[in-house]
Structures are given as C-alpha cells and as structure tokens.
Amino acid sequence: MTDYVIAPSILSANFAKLGEEVDQVLNDGADWVHFDVMDNHYVPNLTIGPMVCKALRDHGVTAPIDVHLMVEPVDRIIPDFAEAGASMITFHPEASKHVDRSLQLIRDHGCKSGLVFNPATPLTVLEWAIEKVDMILLMSVNPGFGGQSFIPFVKQKIVEARKLIDASGRNIRLEVDGGVKASNIGELAALGADTFVAGSAIFNQSDYASVINEMRSNISAATK
Ligand code: DX5
Ligand code: ZN
C-alpha cells in the first residue's frame, strides 16, 4: 500500500498569521509543510528563509517540513535550514555546480535529500545521483509563483520517473508541485506520484479540511 502525502505549500498561506495557518492545515489533515524558498535570482520572486522555518518549529510545528530550495547557489544555505528544523531539503540541479556534493551535504546534516526537475529539465542527472536521493520532485509549473496551471506534458514525466524509481529498487518519494488540485490529483496518483504539493488549491479555500478530504478520496478512487 502506497502512503500518499499531501504537502500544502505555505506560499499561498496568509503570512501575517503563518503559525495559525500551518496549525490549521495540519489539523485539517495535511501531512507535511511544503516550504518554498525563493531568492530573486534562481527564480524571479523572493520568499522566506531559515528564520521562518525555525519560527514554525519554535511555534510547535512537529510535522515534516519539506524545504524546496529555489536558490542559487544552494550549498551555503543547506546547514542553516538543517539547523532551522528542515526534515527534507530539495534543490534544482541547475542551481548547484556539484550536485553530488550538495546531496551529500544535505544528508550529512541529517535531512532527507532530493532533486527538483523543472518542466523542461530532463531526468538524466539521476543516472549518477539516484543513490543519494530520497525524493524526486517534478515541477508541473515553472517555479517562482503559486497559482499557475498544471503543464500537461509533465504527466509523461511522472510515468518516466516512476519507472526509474521502481527500477532502482530504492525507497524514493515522487512528488509533484504546481497546479495540483482535487480535480487532477487522482490522475497524478494513478500515473505514479505519491506526494502532492498544493498551495492555492488549499489555502485559497476557506475550509482546508474539505479540500484535503476531497483530495484523499480522489486519490483512493483513482488508485484502487
Ligand atoms: C512554485 C512553488 C510551488 C507553489 C505551488 O514555484 O514551488 O510549491 O507554491 O503553488 P500552486 O499549488 O498554487 O500551483
Ligand atoms: Zn515548491
């Protein structure tokens, strides 16, 4: 039995009351907190850093915090996020000059490691990196902003990534990020994804529990 994970992206939360928003969404059935870090360099937007991650831990958040680095370079900030309470740290291979070193650095700091693939980025780097990867994150929008539409060709990439993971025999999560909502999550699960980031689809609704429940029932219906 696959355990499906729903990881709301706090990018679409109300930052003026972030602690309460995170408490609410976890209480309403979310599994992880997806934490989008943007540097106005690797992507054309600027968000939050390790201090905010630590603030959530100090606030009492115990759920896994899934840190998605959209920054360049990546290595300088990895130890800071590990110390701030990140559970897993993913980065874009284009943003690191030494992908193997960055993956090892994440692991040396006690976090799960992962690579993030933009829609047009091939999965080829995995040929020599999969041994150090706990998660593959497929972007289904170009990174930088919440609320964009799912890019359909990424569905084929989910199938490809699932094949690579199964062939490796390793325990690697397959996460999809961008334009995920209750209406497409079942199809994405059926294609082989097991971890779902959703920002606007959850935080733009007043009742988080009902969206998350709908997502879970659509996953169940599509994968039985
Ligand atoms: C985009 C971020 C996403 C984003 C998803 O660069 O990585 O995590 O918040 O937002 P939605 O679910 O609204 O597409
Ligand atoms: Zn993200």
Side-chain angles (χ1 to χ4, degrees), residues 132-186:
K132 286 186 185 164
V133 162
D134 300 300
M135 182 150 76
I136 295 171
L137 172 46
L138 298 182
M139 292 305 301
S140 37
V141 298
N142 288 292
F145 304 94
Q148 304 180 80
S149 301
F150 186 95
I151 298 173
F153 72 73
V154 176
K155 290 180 196 170
Q156 186 54 35
K157 217 167 166 191
I158 296 173
V159 174
E160 296 289 320
R162 170 50 57 198
K163 279 191 211 150
L164 286 174
I165 292 170
D166 290 349
S168 78
R170 299 189 67 250
N171 183 19
I172 297 172
R173 299 208 70 91
L174 180 51
E175 184 173 47
V176 185
D177 182 4
V180 175
K181 32 186 175 304
S183 58
N184 62 9
I185 201 167

Coordinates of all heavy atoms in Angstrom, one line a residue, residues 132-186:
K132 N 21.8 8.9 -3.9 CA 21.8 9.9 -2.8 C 20.5 10.7 -2.8 O 20.4 11.8 -2.2 CB 23.0 10.8 -2.9 CG 24.3 10.1 -2.5 CD 25.4 11.0 -2.5 CE 26.7 10.2 -2.2 NZ 27.9 11.0 -2.6
V133 N 19.4 10.1 -3.4 CA 18.2 10.9 -3.5 C 17.1 10.1 -2.7 O 16.9 8.9 -2.9 CB 17.8 11.0 -5.0 CG1 16.3 11.4 -5.1 CG2 18.7 12.1 -5.6
D134 N 16.4 10.8 -1.8 CA 15.3 10.3 -1.1 C 13.9 10.7 -1.7 O 12.9 10.2 -1.4 CB 15.3 10.7 0.4 CG 16.5 10.3 1.1 OD1 16.8 9.1 1.2 OD2 17.3 11.1 1.6
M135 N 14.0 11.7 -2.5 CA 12.8 12.3 -3.1 C 13.1 12.9 -4.5 O 14.2 13.5 -4.7 CB 12.2 13.3 -2.2 CG 10.8 13.9 -2.8 SD 9.8 14.4 -1.5 CE 10.5 15.9 -1.0
I136 N 12.2 12.6 -5.5 CA 12.3 13.3 -6.8 C 11.1 14.2 -6.8 O 9.9 13.8 -6.6 CB 12.3 12.3 -7.9 CG1 13.5 11.4 -7.9 CG2 12.1 13.0 -9.3 CD1 13.5 10.2 -8.8
L137 N 11.3 15.5 -7.1 CA 10.2 16.5 -7.1 C 10.1 16.9 -8.6 O 11.1 17.5 -9.1 CB 10.5 17.6 -6.2 CG 9.7 18.9 -6.2 CD1 8.2 18.5 -6.2 CD2 9.9 19.7 -5.0
L138 N 9.0 16.7 -9.2 CA 8.7 17.1 -10.5 C 7.9 18.4 -10.5 O 6.8 18.4 -9.9 CB 8.0 16.1 -11.3 CG 8.7 14.7 -11.5 CD1 7.8 13.8 -12.3 CD2 10.1 14.9 -12.1
M139 N 8.5 19.5 -11.1 CA 7.7 20.7 -11.2 C 6.7 20.6 -12.3 O 7.1 20.2 -13.5 CB 8.7 21.9 -11.5 CG 9.6 22.3 -10.3 SD 8.8 22.6 -8.8 CE 7.7 24.0 -9.2
S140 N 5.5 20.9 -12.0 CA 4.5 20.9 -13.1 C 4.1 22.3 -13.5 O 3.1 22.5 -14.2 CB 3.3 20.0 -12.7 OG 3.0 20.1 -11.3
V141 N 4.8 23.3 -13.0 CA 4.8 24.6 -13.5 C 6.2 25.1 -13.5 O 7.1 24.5 -12.9 CB 4.0 25.6 -12.5 CG1 2.5 25.1 -12.5 CG2 4.6 25.7 -11.1
N142 N 6.5 26.2 -14.1 CA 7.8 26.8 -14.0 C 7.9 27.5 -12.6 O 7.0 28.2 -12.3 CB 8.1 27.8 -15.2 CG 8.3 27.0 -16.4 OD1 9.3 26.3 -16.6 ND2 7.4 27.1 -17.4
P143 N 9.0 27.3 -11.9 CA 9.0 27.7 -10.5 C 9.0 29.2 -10.3 O 9.6 29.9 -11.2 CB 10.3 27.1 -9.9 CG 11.1 26.9 -11.1 CD 10.2 26.6 -12.3
G144 N 8.5 29.7 -9.2 CA 8.6 31.1 -8.9 C 7.3 31.7 -8.4 O 7.3 32.7 -7.6
F145 N 6.2 31.1 -8.7 CA 4.9 31.6 -8.3 C 3.8 30.5 -8.0 O 3.9 29.5 -8.7 CB 4.3 32.5 -9.4 CG 5.3 33.6 -9.7 CD1 6.2 33.5 -10.8 CD2 5.3 34.8 -9.0 CE1 7.1 34.5 -11.1 CE2 6.3 35.8 -9.3 CZ 7.1 35.6 -10.3
G146 N 3.0 30.8 -7.1 CA 1.8 29.9 -6.9 C 0.7 30.2 -7.8 O 0.8 31.2 -8.6
G147 N -0.3 29.4 -7.9 CA -1.5 29.7 -8.7 C -1.4 29.5 -10.2 O -2.2 30.0 -10.9
Q148 N -0.3 28.8 -10.7 CA -0.2 28.6 -12.1 C -0.9 27.3 -12.5 O -1.2 26.5 -11.7 CB 1.3 28.6 -12.5 CG 2.1 29.8 -12.1 CD 3.6 29.6 -12.6 OE1 3.9 29.9 -13.7 NE2 4.4 29.2 -11.6
S149 N -1.1 27.2 -13.8 CA -1.8 26.0 -14.3 C -0.8 24.8 -14.5 O 0.3 25.0 -15.0 CB -2.5 26.2 -15.7 OG -3.4 27.3 -15.5
F150 N -1.3 23.6 -14.2 CA -0.5 22.4 -14.4 C -0.2 22.2 -15.9 O -1.0 22.4 -16.8 CB -1.4 21.2 -14.0 CG -0.7 19.9 -14.0 CD1 -0.1 19.4 -12.9 CD2 -0.6 19.1 -15.2 CE1 0.6 18.1 -12.9 CE2 0.0 17.9 -15.2 CZ 0.6 17.4 -14.1
I151 N 1.1 22.0 -16.2 CA 1.6 21.8 -17.6 C 1.4 20.3 -17.9 O 2.1 19.4 -17.4 CB 3.1 22.2 -17.7 CG1 3.2 23.7 -17.4 CG2 3.6 21.9 -19.1 CD1 4.7 24.2 -17.3
P152 N 0.5 20.0 -18.9 CA 0.1 18.6 -19.1 C 1.3 17.6 -19.5 O 1.2 16.5 -19.1 CB -0.9 18.7 -20.3 CG -1.4 20.1 -20.3 CD -0.2 20.9 -19.7
F153 N 2.3 18.1 -20.2 CA 3.4 17.1 -20.6 C 4.1 16.5 -19.4 O 4.8 15.5 -19.5 CB 4.3 17.7 -21.7 CG 5.3 18.7 -21.2 CD1 6.4 18.4 -20.4 CD2 5.2 20.0 -21.6 CE1 7.3 19.3 -20.0 CE2 6.1 21.0 -21.2 CZ 7.2 20.7 -20.4
V154 N 4.0 17.1 -18.2 CA 4.7 16.6 -17.1 C 4.1 15.2 -16.7 O 4.7 14.4 -16.0 CB 4.6 17.6 -15.9 CG1 5.2 17.1 -14.6 CG2 5.4 18.9 -16.3
K155 N 2.9 15.0 -17.1 CA 2.3 13.6 -16.8 C 3.2 12.5 -17.3 O 3.4 11.5 -16.6 CB 0.9 13.5 -17.4 CG -0.2 14.4 -16.7 CD -1.5 14.2 -17.4 CE -2.4 15.3 -17.0 NZ -3.7 15.3 -17.8
Q156 N 3.7 12.7 -18.5 CA 4.6 11.6 -19.1 C 5.8 11.5 -18.2 O 6.4 10.4 -18.1 CB 4.9 12.0 -20.5 CG 5.7 10.9 -21.3 CD 5.0 9.5 -21.2 OE1 3.8 9.4 -21.2 NE2 5.8 8.5 -21.1
K157 N 6.3 12.6 -17.7 CA 7.5 12.6 -16.9 C 7.3 11.9 -15.5 O 8.2 11.2 -15.0 CB 7.9 14.1 -16.6 CG 9.4 14.3 -16.6 CD 9.6 15.8 -16.6 CE 11.0 16.1 -16.3 NZ 11.1 17.6 -16.1
I158 N 6.0 12.0 -15.0 CA 5.7 11.2 -13.8 C 5.9 9.7 -14.1 O 6.5 9.0 -13.3 CB 4.3 11.5 -13.3 CG1 4.1 13.0 -12.9 CG2 3.9 10.6 -12.2 CD1 2.7 13.5 -12.6
V159 N 5.4 9.3 -15.2 CA 5.5 7.9 -15.6 C 7.0 7.5 -15.7 O 7.4 6.4 -15.2 CB 4.7 7.6 -17.0 CG1 5.0 6.2 -17.5 CG2 3.3 8.0 -16.8
E160 N 7.8 8.3 -16.4 CA 9.2 8.1 -16.5 C 9.9 8.0 -15.2 O 10.7 7.1 -14.9 CB 9.9 9.2 -17.3 CG 9.4 9.3 -18.8 CD 9.9 8.2 -19.7 OE1 11.0 7.8 -19.5 OE2 9.1 7.7 -20.5
A161 N 9.6 8.9 -14.3 CA 10.3 9.0 -13.0 C 9.8 7.7 -12.2 O 10.7 7.2 -11.5 CB 9.9 10.3 -12.3
R162 N 8.6 7.4 -12.3 CA 8.1 6.2 -11.6 C 8.9 4.9 -12.0 O 9.3 4.1 -11.2 CB 6.6 6.0 -11.7 CG 6.0 4.7 -11.3 CD 6.4 4.3 -9.8 NE 6.0 5.4 -8.8 CZ 6.6 5.4 -7.6 NH1 7.5 4.5 -7.2 NH2 6.3 6.4 -6.8
K163 N 9.1 4.8 -13.3 CA 9.9 3.7 -13.8 C 11.3 3.7 -13.3 O 11.8 2.6 -12.9 CB 10.0 3.8 -15.4 CG 8.8 3.3 -16.1 CD 9.1 3.1 -17.6 CE 7.9 3.4 -18.4 NZ 8.1 3.9 -19.8
L164 N 11.9 4.9 -13.3 CA 13.3 5.0 -12.7 C 13.4 4.5 -11.3 O 14.3 3.8 -10.8 CB 13.8 6.4 -12.9 CG 14.2 6.9 -14.2 CD1 14.6 8.4 -14.2 CD2 15.4 6.1 -14.8
I165 N 12.4 5.0 -10.5 CA 12.4 4.7 -9.1 C 12.2 3.2 -8.9 O 12.9 2.5 -8.1 CB 11.2 5.5 -8.3 CG1 11.6 7.0 -8.3 CG2 11.0 4.9 -6.9 CD1 10.5 7.9 -7.9
D166 N 11.2 2.6 -9.6 CA 10.9 1.2 -9.4 C 12.1 0.4 -9.8 O 12.5 -0.6 -9.2 CB 9.7 0.8 -10.2 CG 8.4 1.4 -9.6 OD1 8.5 1.9 -8.5 OD2 7.3 1.3 -10.2
A167 N 12.8 0.8 -10.9 CA 14.0 0.0 -11.4 C 15.1 0.1 -10.4 O 15.9 -0.8 -10.3 CB 14.4 0.6 -12.8
S168 N 15.2 1.2 -9.7 CA 16.3 1.4 -8.7 C 16.1 0.5 -7.5 O 17.0 0.2 -6.7 CB 16.4 2.9 -8.2 OG 15.4 3.2 -7.3
G169 N 14.8 0.1 -7.2 CA 14.5 -0.7 -6.0 C 14.7 0.1 -4.7 O 14.6 -0.5 -3.7
R170 N 14.8 1.4 -4.8 CA 15.0 2.2 -3.7 C 13.7 2.9 -3.2 O 12.8 3.0 -4.0 CB 16.1 3.3 -3.9 CG 17.5 2.6 -4.3 CD 18.6 3.6 -4.3 NE 18.9 4.1 -3.0 CZ 18.6 5.4 -2.7 NH1 18.2 6.2 -3.5 NH2 18.9 5.8 -1.4
N171 N 13.8 3.3 -2.0 CA 12.6 3.9 -1.4 C 12.7 5.4 -1.6 O 13.2 6.1 -0.8 CB 12.6 3.6 0.1 CG 11.3 4.1 0.8 OD1 10.3 4.4 0.2 ND2 11.4 4.2 2.1
I172 N 12.1 5.8 -2.7 CA 12.2 7.3 -3.1 C 10.8 7.8 -3.4 O 10.0 7.2 -4.1 CB 13.1 7.4 -4.4 CG1 14.5 6.9 -4.2 CG2 13.0 8.8 -5.0 CD1 15.3 6.8 -5.5
R173 N 10.5 8.9 -2.7 CA 9.2 9.5 -2.9 C 9.2 10.3 -4.3 O 10.2 10.8 -4.7 CB 8.8 10.5 -1.8 CG 8.8 9.8 -0.4 CD 7.8 10.5 0.5 NE 6.4 10.3 0.1 CZ 5.6 9.2 0.5 NH1 6.1 8.4 1.4 NH2 4.4 9.1 0.0
L174 N 8.0 10.3 -4.9 CA 7.8 11.0 -6.2 C 6.8 12.1 -5.9 O 5.6 11.8 -5.8 CB 7.4 10.0 -7.3 CG 7.2 10.7 -8.6 CD1 8.3 11.5 -9.1 CD2 6.9 9.6 -9.7
E175 N 7.3 13.3 -5.9 CA 6.4 14.5 -5.5 C 6.2 15.3 -6.7 O 7.0 15.5 -7.6 CB 7.2 15.3 -4.4 CG 6.5 16.5 -3.9 CD 7.2 17.1 -2.7 OE1 8.5 17.3 -2.8 OE2 6.6 17.4 -1.7
V176 N 5.0 15.9 -6.8 CA 4.6 16.8 -7.9 C 4.2 18.1 -7.3 O 3.5 18.2 -6.3 CB 3.4 16.2 -8.7 CG1 3.1 17.1 -9.9 CG2 3.7 14.8 -9.2
D177 N 4.7 19.2 -7.9 CA 4.5 20.5 -7.4 C 4.1 21.5 -8.5 O 4.9 21.7 -9.5 CB 5.8 21.0 -6.8 CG 5.8 22.3 -6.1 OD1 4.7 22.9 -6.0 OD2 6.8 22.8 -5.6
G178 N 2.9 22.1 -8.4 CA 2.5 23.1 -9.3 C 1.1 22.8 -10.0 O 1.1 21.8 -10.7
G179 N 0.1 23.5 -9.7 CA -1.2 23.3 -10.3 C -1.9 22.0 -9.9 O -2.8 21.6 -10.6
V180 N -1.5 21.5 -8.8 CA -2.2 20.3 -8.3 C -3.4 20.7 -7.5 O -3.4 21.6 -6.7 CB -1.2 19.5 -7.3 CG1 -1.9 18.3 -6.7 CG2 0.0 19.0 -8.1
K181 N -4.5 20.0 -7.8 CA -5.8 20.3 -7.2 C -6.6 19.0 -7.1 O -6.2 18.0 -7.6 CB -6.6 21.4 -7.9 CG -6.4 21.5 -9.4 CD -7.1 22.8 -9.8 CE -7.0 23.1 -11.2 NZ -5.7 23.3 -11.8
A182 N -7.7 19.1 -6.4 CA -8.6 17.9 -6.2 C -9.0 17.3 -7.5 O -9.1 16.1 -7.6 CB -9.8 18.3 -5.3
S183 N -9.2 18.1 -8.5 CA -9.7 17.6 -9.8 C -8.6 16.8 -10.6 O -8.9 16.0 -11.5 CB -10.2 18.7 -10.7 OG -9.2 19.7 -10.9
N184 N -7.3 17.0 -10.3 CA -6.3 16.3 -11.1 C -5.4 15.3 -10.2 O -4.7 14.5 -10.7 CB -5.4 17.2 -11.9 CG -4.6 18.2 -11.1 OD1 -4.5 18.1 -9.9 ND2 -3.9 19.1 -11.8
I185 N -5.6 15.4 -8.9 CA -4.7 14.6 -8.0 C -4.8 13.1 -8.2 O -3.9 12.4 -8.1 CB -4.9 15.1 -6.6 CG1 -3.7 14.7 -5.7 CG2 -6.2 14.5 -5.9 CD1 -3.7 15.4 -4.3
G186 N -6.1 12.7 -8.5 CA -6.3 11.2 -8.7 C -5.5 10.7 -9.9 O -4.8 9.7 -9.8

